Amino acid sequence: MPAHPLSPARLIRAARHRLEALLADDERDTPFAADIVNVAKAVQLACAQNRDVALAQILVDQHGAYPARHACDVATVVDLVLARLGRARAERLPVIAAALTMNIGMQALQTTLASQTTPLSAEQRDIMQRHPQHSRDLLRLRGVADTLWLDCVLQHHEAPDGSGYPQQLKGDAIRFEARLIGLADRYCALLTQSAWRHAQHADAALKQSLADGVDAKLARLFTETVGVFPPGATVTLANGETAIIRETAGREDTPIAVAYLDHLGQTLSLPVSRDTALPAYRVAAVIDTAKLALGAGTVWGNDAV
């Protein structure tokens, strides 16, 4: 990974590029597990420096190859949730590593599906169903021996009611960390534009993600971490202004925003901070975030440059 210091935004971008190279390289001179852990540490560093900027990259930086980008997005969410739970950095690393490598067994299919406009073929569905076990097996071949890491990869598509795959595990037979990765996987995928699916608004993506049999404690923890209106989301406010969410400020549905358009859609002379806990500035609706309408530095300062 590039040497410190880098801004959180650049750390996430560098992690994506490095992960893409690692997942594509079958013949290595250095240990694969150690290299993945270094990527995980870069994600952790970005989250530690500025959690809001790291989280915002999911929405405001949807560039580059989907498999590595999506994996880093999921890893970011997982690190932040586990940190909120009080897990130490070292404890979080194998779980973040699992998020980064959960789909190593279907890299080619992920790339294809990002631009495919037709339904999955029978062969593609079979690859999808088998990829957790195939990914676990590939990681073993590449020298990964950490049980938590391997179990999370194998179980990240299991469901508490037994309807998941590949083992149809139920309830407590599924690791908590694997359930967290699966939830973050669904949430980040719904936020991403693809050839066959329009990116969902952040509040709708959260609601849909939590509707799939997620227990109340995990749902609450996840919502408190990412927020109903996460950093990077574009919203309209009660006074008619359009704004970018800057930080959740520990308040899941009343974040701090930066307004840049007035109620007539005219550009404000200067972007202005708005506390959405105040009635005049409450979030009225989430709208499409096709691209960041303001320079990232205007919203988050040097951490986003």
Side-chain angles (χ1 to χ4, degrees):
M1 296 301 300
H4 180 67
L6 289 177
S7 71
R10 292 193 68 184
L11 280 166
I12 295 294
R13 178 65 70 86
R16 291 174 176 179
H17 284 304
R18 181 59 175 150
L19 180 63
E20 183 179 0
L22 289 173
L23 295 180
D25 186 4
D26 292 329
E27 298 180 6
R28 314 192 40 71
D29 296 326
T30 56
F32 177 81
D35 285 339
I36 293 294
V37 168
N38 282 335
V39 177
K41 288 179 178 178
V43 172
Q44 279 192 324
L45 181 57
C47 292
Q49 287 182 353
N50 191 320
R51 68 176 306 281
D52 296 297
V53 170
L55 198 55
Q57 302 315 300
I58 300 171
L59 286 169
V60 305
D61 187 5
Q62 296 195 359
H63 303 93
Y66 176 76
R69 170 164 54 87
H70 175 68
C72 284
D73 290 347
V74 174
T76 297
V77 173
V78 166
D79 183 58
L80 291 172
V81 171
L82 292 178
R84 188 177 188 89
L85 197 58
R87 298 281 185 92
R89 282 194 179 192
E91 290 181 276
R92 304 194 310 262
L93 276 174
V95 189
I96 301 168
L100 293 171
T101 55
M102 61 184 173
N103 295 325
I104 192 172
M106 61 168 211
Q107 294 293 299
L109 177 59
Q110 270 196 309
T111 301
T112 298
L113 292 181
S115 58
Q116 180 173 311
T117 57
T118 57
L120 271 69
S121 67
E123 181 182 4
Q124 287 174 329
R125 289 189 182 280
D126 182 59
I127 293 172
M128 184 76 74
Q129 291 286 320
R130 290 188 292 105
H131 88 267
Q133 182 145 4
H134 185 40
S135 296
R136 192 273 309 270
D137 294 345
L138 282 176
L139 290 172
R140 281 178 168 170
L141 288 173
R142 295 191 183 189
V144 175
D146 187 287
T147 301
L148 177 57
W149 180 344
L150 294 171
D151 283 353
C152 284
V153 169
L154 180 62
Q155 297 176 8
H156 75 279
H157 279 298
E158 299 289 354
D161 64 0
S163 63
Y165 58 90
Q167 296 177 302
Q168 292 79 50
L169 299 177
K170 292 184 178 181
D172 292 340
I174 309 168
R175 284 187 181 267
F176 164 79
E177 296 88 352
R179 288 190 286 123
L180 170 59
I181 291 174
L183 175 55
D185 182 19
R186 293 193 298 275
Y187 175 71
C188 292
L190 290 171
L191 293 177
T192 303
Q193 182 77 29
S194 71
W196 59 275
R197 180 181 61 206
H198 188 69
Q200 289 199 16
H201 294 162
D203 53 345
L206 178 64
K207 184 176 181 180
Q208 182 172 332
S209 299
L210 297 179
D212 295 332
V214 179
D215 68 75
K217 287 185 177 180
L218 177 54
R220 169 53 51 193
L221 178 64
F222 195 87
T223 303
E224 289 173 347
T225 302
V226 302
V228 176
F229 312 113
T234 303
V235 298
T236 55
L237 306 179
N239 67 348
E241 292 175 338
T242 301
I244 301 289
I245 300 299
R246 184 178 70 203
E247 57 185 288
T248 55
R251 302 174 301 186
E252 65 190 57
D253 58 357
T254 55
I256 303 299
V258 176
Y260 63 95
L261 298 178
D262 66 17
H263 66 289
L264 297 175
Q266 301 298 310
T267 302
L268 296 172
S269 56
L270 287 174
V272 58
S273 181
R274 299 298 195 199
D275 184 348
T276 66
L278 300 175
Y281 306 129
R282 67 173 176 79
V283 175
V286 182
I287 59 178
D288 286 342
T289 306
K291 61 180 180 179
L292 189 62
L294 291 175
T298 302
V299 181
W300 292 284
N302 291 334
D303 282 352
V305 174

